Amino acid sequence: MAIVCKSAAEIEKMRHSGHIVRQVLDHLRTVVAPGVSTMDLEQAADRKMKDLGAKPAFKGYYDYPCVLCTSINEEIVHGIPSSKRVLKPGDIVSIDCGVVVDGYYGDAAITVPVDDSITPELRKLLEVTEASLYKGIQQVLIGNAVGDVGAAVQEFVEGNGFSVVREFVGHGIGTRLHEEPQVPNFGMRGHGPRLREGMVLAIEPMVNSGQAGTRVLDDKWTAVTVDGSYSAHFEHCVAVTKNGPVILTQ
Ligand code: MF3
Ligand code: CO
């Protein structure tokens, strides 16, 4: 399958889907607090999506059971919301949300502290992971390679003493949640497919405070760090345009 380039009208539709994802995440950020369960977040997201007229993108995708992925502390991605998982002071939680509106997908993620008591090291992990996403986004230019995005993320993360996850990557997005190309958060400048006008990439660095290794729990979804170190995840959908990168999940 080739990489699909979107028309300006399609990108406007994706901006709409992306805006809804952002509204859901902005709402969830206000719900996060000690004592709140990840199922509470799931239910809040489900209601908000309905209010905004959007369908969830993740529920039913390869039989995934929920509208959100909620990943606490050493969980990297694809944590399944549960009423038994209650947020505690000092925790961080990654919230990944996707919707489809009028046939076009939006996908974004944030990692937030549960309260102000997180350690300075964790605060730095969140800041470096979010900043690495913007380092990647700066490379979303016509004629650049997918490897330029990954290399920019990787250099920034490793320069700050953290590591990037290899087993999970970003992706093209459009009329499907996952399209070509894969967008790794590591790589070599100049390598991989060239970016052309109208491509849309979901860039999603997953950064571990310790080693990069991952494993998947017995629930078949939750990815965790092998060494038990903490992990953060931020994601935006970004269009390649003549005017440079345009973030659609704003
Ligand atoms: N943002 C993640 C991704 O793009 C979430 C997918 S979860 C799934 O891969 F359940 F839909 F697989
Ligand atoms: Co994604």
Side-chain angles (χ1 to χ4, degrees):
M1 273 285 284
I3 302 174
V4 181
C5 294
K6 283 81 181 171
S7 68
E10 290 179 296
I11 286 175
E12 277 316 300
K13 287 188 174 191
M14 293 188 71
R15 196 198 292 276
H16 182 62
S17 305
H19 182 58
I20 288 178
V21 170
R22 181 58 46 194
Q23 286 172 273
V24 175
L25 288 175
D26 282 347
H27 174 59
L28 294 175
R29 190 192 279 287
T30 71
V31 177
V32 168
V36 169
S37 77
T38 54
M39 184 53 77
D40 295 332
L41 299 177
E42 165 78 8
Q43 285 167 352
D46 199 34
R47 272 196 301 276
K48 193 77 180 170
M49 286 181 197
K50 288 202 177 89
D51 288 348
L52 296 168
K55 288 218 162 61
F58 299 169
K59 197 170 187 165
Y61 189 78
Y62 292 102
D63 290 329
Y64 186 73
C66 291
V67 308
L68 290 184
C69 299
T70 51
S71 308
I72 302 172
N73 298 344
E74 78 288 352
E75 296 172 351
I76 302 166
V77 286
H78 303 165
I80 303 173
S82 161
S83 55
K84 298 195 186 102
R85 296 304 304 278
V86 177
L87 301 173
K88 300 188 312 298
D91 286 347
I92 56 171
V93 59
S94 302
I95 308 173
D96 192 348
C97 175
V99 303
V100 55
V101 187
D102 201 10
Y104 287 84
Y105 283 79
D107 183 11
I110 56 175
T111 304
V112 295
V114 168
D115 70 351
D116 289 338
S117 75
I118 63 166
T119 63
E121 167 82 356
L122 270 186
R123 176 87 46 201
K124 182 182 170 199
L125 177 68
L126 301 188
E127 286 170 3
V128 166
T129 307
E130 186 168 23
S132 77
L133 169 58
Y134 288 93
K135 294 287 179 190
I137 290 172
Q138 282 174 7
Q139 297 299 316
V140 178
L141 303 169
I142 294 171
N144 267 9
V146 168
D148 293 327
V149 176
V153 172
Q154 181 179 14
E155 281 167 20
F156 185 76
V157 167
E158 293 178 353
N160 279 284
F162 298 132
S163 54
V164 292
V165 165
R166 311 300 160 109
E167 290 82 4
F168 302 92
V169 298
H171 49 95
I173 182 168
T175 57
R176 291 176 298 136
L177 176 62
H178 292 155
E179 296 185 355
E180 287 192 38
Q182 291 199 353
V183 184
N185 301 296
F186 55 92
M188 294 206 297
R189 291 187 190 275
H191 285 239
R194 295 276 154 190
L195 302 183
R196 284 177 285 124
E197 187 178 7
M199 290 182 182
V200 181
L201 305 180
I203 304 176
E204 48 180 318
M206 287 145 266
V207 174
N208 297 352
S209 63
Q211 300 300 307
T214 71
R215 68 189 175 90
V216 175
L217 299 184
D218 288 339
D219 67 14
K220 301 274 200 290
W221 280 103
T222 312
V224 300
T225 61
V226 169
D227 64 4
S229 65
Y230 282 26
S231 189
H233 178 211
F234 285 82
E235 177 177 23
H236 269 309
C237 294
V238 186
V240 182
T241 82
K242 282 198 184 76
N243 302 320
V246 173
I247 299 175
L248 303 177
T249 39
Q250 208 66 285

